[in-house]
Amino acid sequence: MDKTVIRRVISDLSEAKPADLNLNRLQSIIGAAQAQISSQSEVVDPDPLWSTSAAYLLVQHQFLTTCLVQKKVFADNPLNPTQEEDVVSLQELDQFFRATDVIRQFTLNLYLPKELRSLTKCDLKLVVVNLDHQEQIRRLTFCLEAFLKLFMVKFAVVDKRMENSILDYIAGVFELHYLKNSIQDLPNDPLFQNFDLFSTEILFKSLLIIKGKPDLPTDLAKQIHLELLRRTGLKGGFPVLCKTLLVNVPSDETPVWQKSKVIAKIVGCKGHTKNFYRQVLQDCFEFNEASLQKNNEESLNFASTCIECCKQIYQLPPAYAELRKTIETYFVSRFDLLHQPTELLSGTIILEQSQLAADIYLNYMAFSGSSCSSLNSSILIPYLQIFLKLTTLLPSQISERKQLNHLIIFCLANREKSELETVLSDLLFETSSSSQMRKFHPRIVVKKEPNNDETYSILVGSTKGAGIPSEVGVDGEMQSSSLDDQEDSTIPVMVEVLKDSNRNLLIYDVFLVLLKLVERISANSPKTLLLDPEEREAIDCKQFYRKYVLINALMELISHKHFHSQLYDNPSEMLAFLEGLLKSNTEQRQPNEDLLALVLSIFQEYLQRLQSRSDVQRIVILLQKFQSSDTCSEQLRSQIEQIFVRSSPDLDEETPYRNALSLCSDREAYCKVYGTTLMIKLLQTRDKETVTNKHAILVLALNNLRNVESYAFLNSVRLLVALCDVLESDTIETLIKEFNSVGNEVDFRLKIGEALVKTVETLGPIAYNYKEQLINCFINGSKSLTDEIRSSSLSNLGNICKILSYQVHHFFYEMFLVIKSAIETDTYLPVRRAAILIFSQLIEGIDNLLSFDTYLLPMYRFLKHIIATEKDDVTRLQAAVALDHLSAKTKDLLTSLQTTKLEKEIRIFGIKDHQ
């Protein structure tokens, strides 16, 4: 066929207006081309419209294969002078696409049923009448095969101007099999198999448009639906489905969340194959991450759709447990590295900041909506302790902290009361065998950049007790959770997160649960019959600290101003707890006075303000009954009197305790000092109200230690000393725990250490009861990574030994190893000086070296080595002094041994009797 004729036909057809075209006009345009192809049997037909249409299809194919693509020879390369390349004229390409769209309207589109013809734009007024069933199948097949030849050319099938042709082709393939009544055989049809020539976006869009057509035959609609599902279950199908429904198919009146639910129901309903769910989840995860990285409005809509789909799949019956595990692994199991690192070599980086931030943000977006648009909060429960621990370790000003706080609140707020009690119990006790809560690994630390508080990395720290520090304060270079304080540090963090959230209902529920846990701690003392004294003491210390943590948490919550309204507006549940507690203790022969004293001190103001309520009156009666019983101690009786000593109108009257408490809580330092002085006098005179609130005073004194003013700090130390008269063991053990807590700032820990030493000085010989706890506390502090903590701990250790009159024989060798390690390996000069000074004082202060005769030679060699190798003059001088003390003590020891031996010889030979 003449190329000139073909080009003229395509050019004229592309320039013609489709609305003006009729059969005569089409025949005139094709002209000579019609005569050239009339001899071909495929187009011989008595129907002039079909003959003309078939001729145009042949012309269209001839233009694409012979005219549009030309071979151009390049002679620039001398090694390959016959190199050829396909060249397409842009002008002719545009004419071809416009002509193809017109040809589509009176060929392929014309033989579709009415309900499918309107899928695409059609301006021609041509119709086909009196066409039998078989003839319709023949003509539709011919048109489909003709257009398939076009789609075999890559540049033709990917152009957007071919979308209408592709849509009609896809609709035609389905319609063809429906006409043949062979819709089930569709997958075996080559016309159908060539759907893979089209882009996934165009294919999904076309299928959705066809499926959305009303009055579509049921069998046809079902087959299209199955094909959509099959395509969705292929790799890359899910993102295209989301983009098509959310963006490409216009629906201004339908909100995005509703479209997301439709997509979730499509992919998350029961009945799909396992491979379908697996591939959809994989695509969903990848699409979610890609959408979050773009971080614009459209991509965030995609991300929320992914979360909705994951939620729908997660809610499938237990038979789909594998899918639930896959979702959990993708979202929260990425934090398993913080629970069980794959590598425990010191210095190994577990997570870079960028990766941890991305992991937290991914989960924040998955759980950031309401409970109806977020994943199931139960997924977060096993990682709650890790989130709380991360909150304490990460810098406070970064966004990851806020996102972690949201995850914590979301997890707690969506718990039933029984579930909440289980979660908080696991956080505090960590003894439940059924608990799935993962623990933050004790050797994982956070390393911060020295000059940038917002830059950090997560890595493996050193082994505790190996002579290398394993922890440091907030302002130091590294942080970690030690084995001793790991289990107890999460409750205070949770309280701070709750206070920042202003979720009053949640705070109320947590408050009730913590009260029950206090009762549980007080009622169930650990069985220590089979334990040695050291193990029993360690358990008692843990038990005390748990109680202290709960007391502090309850005091913090009840003093939170936003919690007051909830407490006073809905007191029934709280009063029921108090009533039950009083009844149980009234009926017991040995009531739990510590628990009662604690609860009454917490609720003192609360009970006073609600005395007029009828349900509070029942508690008043129970209190009066218990007060008059023989089992009530004098201290508890006075505490009960203090609660109801004033009538309701006089609640605002200032008492000495309230006045002192108000001044101590003032922001101004001079007010704190004056209030502290008044509080000390009240403790010394045993004021009933003050003694009753001794636990609250302990919390207040610890908070005031943070004051930067030196005189305010010193008065807070005086308050702690005075508090020892009424709360001795609790005060000492609390100070020890606060000093060991790596979550505290370095300056605060230094103040705690100083306060602890001054408190022990005041106690005098009584402090011998706390000898082991005090020495272990400062030995542990001497291994810190923070220079100031190490030097302070060694200094405090020396002071403690001096206060104890150097009665530290059981700890001498351990202290010797710590001092030896500090002098030999520590690069901080004050630490080395403090260590050798303490060693010198120990040698001088210990009276009897007979117990250390096996250590005398290592001590002597160590001191000689320091004198010979140490560069610092002060350290060498102290080592020489220590060596003199050691020599003198050794001479005295040898002299005493010789005298003893001589006396024994005299007795043996009877010399003494003879004399």
Side-chain angles (χ1 to χ4, degrees), residues 604 642 645-646 651-664 674-683 685-691 693 697 700:
Q604 178 176 341
Q642 190 63 39
V645 70
R646 289 170 289 143
L651 285 177
D652 295 331
E653 178 185 347
E654 283 290 337
T655 63
Y657 167 73
R658 289 179 176 276
N659 181 39
L661 182 65
S662 176
L663 290 170
C664 288
Y674 182 60
T676 303
T677 304
L678 294 178
M679 192 71 75
I680 292 172
K681 291 180 179 178
L682 292 174
L683 288 171
T685 58
R686 293 297 192 275
D687 178 72
K688 291 183 179 180
E689 186 178 7
T690 306
V691 173
N693 293 278
I697 297 174
L700 177 68

Side-chain angles (χ1 to χ4, degrees), residues 241-486:
L241 177 67
C242 293
K243 293 177 182 178
T244 304
L245 287 179
L246 296 177
V247 180
N248 294 339
V249 176
S251 182
D252 298 334
E253 297 180 358
T254 306
V256 174
W257 65 266
Q258 193 169 349
K259 297 179 183 178
S260 298
K261 286 189 174 295
V262 171
I263 296 174
K265 288 181 179 179
I266 292 174
V267 300
C269 63
K270 294 188 294 183
H272 298 308
T273 64
K274 288 186 177 180
N275 289 333
F276 176 88
Y277 290 120
R278 291 166 184 161
Q279 187 59 56
V280 165
L281 281 178
Q282 185 64 34
D283 287 345
C284 184
F285 297 155
E286 295 176 0
F287 189 42
N288 181 49
E289 289 191 20
S291 301
L292 291 178
Q293 289 176 0
K294 293 180 181 178
N295 198 25
N296 53 49
E297 183 178 357
E298 182 180 284
S299 61
L300 291 180
N301 289 335
F302 294 150
S304 63
T305 303
C306 293
I307 300 303
E308 190 66 36
C309 294
C310 290
K311 178 185 175 183
Q312 190 75 20
I313 295 175
Y314 194 83
Q315 293 174 350
L316 289 172
Y320 299 89
E322 175 195 345
L323 304 177
R324 295 186 181 184
K325 183 63 177 177
T326 302
I327 294 173
E328 293 173 0
T329 301
Y330 171 71
F331 283 101
V332 292
S333 293
R334 58 187 65 219
F335 296 106
D336 281 340
L337 284 173
L338 303 177
H339 163 64
Q340 191 172 3
T342 56
E343 179 61 62
L344 288 176
L345 183 65
S346 297
T348 302
I349 295 179
I350 300 297
L351 284 173
E352 292 287 357
Q353 178 178 2
S354 58
Q355 183 61 49
L356 180 62
D359 292 345
I360 294 175
Y361 180 66
L362 177 73
N363 282 271
Y364 169 73
M365 294 302 294
F367 298 93
S368 62
S370 64
S371 58
C372 298
S373 59
S374 302
L375 288 178
N376 196 324
S377 60
S378 62
I379 301 175
L380 296 175
I381 291 179
Y383 298 87
L384 188 58
Q385 197 268 356
I386 292 178
F387 293 157
L388 287 167
K389 205 66 188 177
L390 271 178
T391 302
T392 64
L393 299 180
L394 295 180
S396 58
Q397 65 273 19
I398 61 176
S399 60
E400 291 94 298
R401 280 282 293 268
K402 298 179 182 179
Q403 294 166 5
L404 281 172
N405 290 350
H406 178 89
L407 293 175
I408 294 167
I409 293 298
F410 182 81
C411 181
L412 295 175
N414 287 279
R415 306 268 69 76
E416 297 290 339
K417 291 186 178 180
S418 59
E419 293 178 323
L420 185 61
E421 184 173 353
T422 302
V423 169
L424 296 183
S425 176
D426 288 342
L427 284 176
L428 183 66
F429 297 104
E430 302 187 355
T431 55
S432 174
S433 58
S434 62
S435 175
Q436 299 297 321
M437 194 170 294
R438 291 161 173 78
K439 310 305 177 186
F440 198 88
H441 197 279
R443 285 190 57 195
I444 293 181
V445 299
V446 175
K447 183 178 181 181
K448 302 177 185 176
E449 295 296 332
N451 300 324
N452 189 354
D453 292 337
E454 297 185 6
T455 304
Y456 61 88
S457 58
I458 310 293
L459 48 83
V460 177
S462 58
T463 305
K464 187 175 179 181
I468 307 174
S470 63
E471 40 112 17
V472 68
V474 172
D475 296 337
E477 187 183 18
M478 301 176 72
Q479 289 179 310
S480 76
S481 54
S482 67
L483 291 172
D484 294 335
D485 67 350
Q486 179 186 359

Side-chain angles (χ1 to χ4, degrees), residues 768-801:
Y768 188 82
N769 297 330
Y770 308 101
K771 174 182 63 175
E772 295 182 3
Q773 299 176 44
L774 291 167
I775 293 177
N776 286 328
C777 168
F778 292 120
I779 286 180
N780 180 64
S782 66
K783 302 174 184 178
S784 171
L785 288 179
T786 305
D787 297 337
E788 292 80 2
I789 296 294
R790 293 200 306 279
S791 57
S792 174
S793 297
L794 288 170
S795 176
N796 294 337
L797 181 63
N799 290 329
I800 293 297
C801 292

